[in-house]
Each structure stands twice: as C-alpha cells, then as structure tokens.
Amino acid sequence: MAITPLKIPTELRYIKAFAHEAEKIDEYQYSSQSRIVAYHCRMYAAQEGIKCTTSSEGEQYLGELIDLMSSEEENISAKRSQDLHVLCRDFANNVFDRADTEDKAGASGRSTADQFASAAVYYEMIQQFYGSSMDEGQKKEEMNWAYCLRRAAEILMAVEENPQSKSIFTRKKGSCGEKEELKCPPELKSISLFVHHAEKLDRDDRAEAPVLAYYCRVYAVQQGMLCAASEERDSFLYRLFDQIELKKEVMSNITPKESH
C-alpha cells in the first residue's frame, strides 16, 4: 500500500533528502530489506529534525514521521543492530556501484547523478549506527559519502551547463579567497548548512577535513543551481565555486577505489 508523502516544514528542509529516499522505497515497493532501509532513513531524519525544530509545524511533522515508522517496528526489533547496519551499508554500496559502473562506462547523465546523490544520503544515514568515536568502517563510509557528493555535483553541473549562457564554471573578477566566509542569501538558505560545515572543516586539523570541505561546497553548488535564479544567487554561487577551484588540487588523487 502506498504511503502518502508528508509535507516537510521549511525549518526541517535539511532532512528532506532522507524522507525523500524513504518515500522512493515506498513508491517502488522494494523488498522487506529495503523497507528496513526506508525505516532508518526516517529514523535519521527524525533524530536530526528533533535537534533543529522550533515550531508546532515541525513537531507535528516529526510526530507523523514517527507514526509512519511504527509499521516496521516489529520487523526491526527482531534483528540485531549489527545486522541492520550491514543491511543498510550493503544497500548504499549497491546504489553506489550502479552509479559508479555507469560513470566509468562514460554513460553518466542526470540519473547517474541522482544515484550518486541517493547513495550519499544512505551513507550519511548509516552514521546513526555509530557511537561518538570514529572507527575505520565509519571513515570509509564517510569517504564514500564525500565521493558521491562530488560526482553527483560534477555530473549534474555538466548536464545542466548551457553553452548559450554564462557557465557557473567561469570565474568572475573579485571572487573571494578560500579563507573568506560567505553569507548565504535568503533564497539559498537550504544550502547554508553545507557551506557552514565546509567553513568549519577548514579549521579542522584532521587529514581528511580538506577533502570533506571540498565535497560540502560542491554539493552546495549543485543544490544551489536548482534554486530559483537571481542575481544574488548567481553571485554567491560564483564565489563559492571560486573556493572549490582553489581546493581542486586536494582532490586530484581521489578515486572511487580509494573510498572503499
């Protein structure tokens, strides 16, 4: 039976991707294992949503989201957490492998970008199975997440580039340096989290921090291009892409094989 998608309040826009992936699984009526993945997408959305909701609309949405999860609780409770983790990880890896195979075959298109983006959502969702300390498995999944964001953004930007118009890849005079923090215009509020996270990673001493910051900015550009066009939007994305260009040297040796 199809589940009617819930309308997500603006303040919870960040968790929309996780709810959307769960709805895709509902729509196509995948296996019982896939429905477990949908359950954990909603679980992660609820966990993250509780941290940022401040309105009655947000609280109502999260309540309805939790109600949707109740139908799978019996199936979930019968499995060990470790088994659930493996199931969700394998699902993410399968989605990634399909996208990567297409990409390597030179057949990349919008659907390839969508598959990479979906895999990134699943890899991020998996983080709910970990504690506060990061082990090798979590590091590998974080790198997979980052690579998927990069390829999704690069493919989508290539697909949408119009040779008759000004390309987002063209630098403008006066673009900001990599250390300058950017202020998102109101119409790009949905990507501000990724931009701010990238700026936070710029100050992080971990070896992988520059790589993750790069991917956050690439994903922010990808999502920003989908927002309504305006002079403010274009100006901000040009400046953000200038920061990405300055970071490209860091990414030159990153390949799908290294992310496994």
Side-chain angles (χ1 to χ4, degrees):
M1 181 177 177
I3 298 176
T4 302
L6 302 177
K7 184 178 180 180
I8 301 178
T10 303
E11 67 174 345
L12 294 178
R13 192 176 298 172
Y14 165 63
I15 69 173
K16 182 176 181 179
F18 306 101
H20 178 61
E21 290 302 324
E23 289 165 359
K24 281 166 62 177
I25 292 175
D26 293 337
E27 180 181 357
Y28 293 105
Q29 298 181 352
Y30 291 148
S31 66
S32 59
Q33 289 184 327
S34 297
R35 292 200 302 273
I36 291 175
V37 176
Y39 174 94
H40 283 93
C41 284
R42 290 190 170 102
M43 174 65 78
Y44 190 75
Q47 291 172 349
E48 295 301 305
I50 288 171
K51 298 175 185 178
C52 58
T53 188
T54 58
S55 68
S56 58
E57 290 83 359
E59 292 175 356
Q60 180 180 347
Y61 171 81
L62 293 176
E64 293 172 351
L65 188 64
I66 292 171
D67 287 343
L68 282 179
M69 294 161 51
S70 62
S71 62
E72 294 290 345
E73 285 181 355
E74 184 176 346
N75 192 18
I76 297 296
S77 62
K79 297 182 181 294
R80 296 182 306 162
S81 176
Q82 182 179 357
D83 294 335
L84 294 170
H85 179 189
V86 171
L87 187 153
C88 291
R89 183 194 63 205
D90 289 349
F91 189 91
N93 286 340
N94 287 338
V95 175
F96 170 80
D97 288 342
R98 287 197 300 271
D100 192 43
T101 298
E102 260 183 35
D103 199 20
K104 286 180 177 178
S108 300
R110 185 179 295 277
S111 64
T112 317
D114 289 344
Q115 289 182 76
F116 273 125
S118 293
V121 171
Y122 298 133
Y123 281 127
E124 183 171 353
M125 172 270 288
I126 290 170
Q127 302 310 304
Q128 67 187 283
F129 293 104
Y130 290 100
S132 55
S133 59
M134 182 177 290
D135 63 18
E136 288 304 312
Q138 188 176 11
K139 288 180 180 178
K140 287 181 180 179
E141 287 161 6
E142 189 175 49
M143 291 301 293
N144 286 351
W145 165 82
Y147 181 82
C148 287
L149 290 184
R150 171 191 174 187
R151 289 304 296 144
E154 291 176 342
I155 294 169
L156 186 60
M157 286 190 289
V159 168
E160 295 198 351
E161 184 179 7
N162 184 349
Q164 301 301 320
S165 62
K166 193 179 294 181
S167 169
I168 194 65
F169 290 95
T170 305
R171 283 191 174 193
K172 294 178 74 177
K173 292 182 179 180
S175 294
C176 65
E178 62 176 321
K179 297 299 183 180
E180 182 179 345
E181 294 190 353
L182 302 178
K183 183 178 179 181
C184 285
E187 60 264 42
L188 293 179
K189 184 178 179 181
S190 62
I191 69 171
S192 63
L193 180 70
F194 300 100
V195 176
H196 293 160
H197 190 56
E199 291 168 349
K200 182 179 178 181
L201 286 165
D202 287 339
R203 301 186 289 272
D204 195 317
D205 293 330
R206 290 183 297 160
E208 65 269 24
V211 177
L212 298 176
Y214 175 92
Y215 293 140
C216 283
R217 288 187 170 98
V218 169
Y219 186 67
V221 169
Q222 173 205 357
Q223 296 302 307
M225 289 176 67
L226 301 178
C227 297
S230 71
E231 186 175 340
E232 276 192 321
R233 185 208 71 163
D234 292 346
S235 176
F236 178 84
L237 293 180
Y238 277 121
R239 291 161 64 82
L240 185 58
F241 194 78
D242 191 67
Q243 291 186 341
I244 292 171
E245 287 286 287
L246 292 170
K247 297 286 186 180
K248 271 193 173 179
E249 189 174 334
V250 177
M251 307 308 306
S252 59
N253 295 320
I254 299 295
T255 66
K257 180 180 286 189
E258 290 175 331
S259 68
H260 284 289

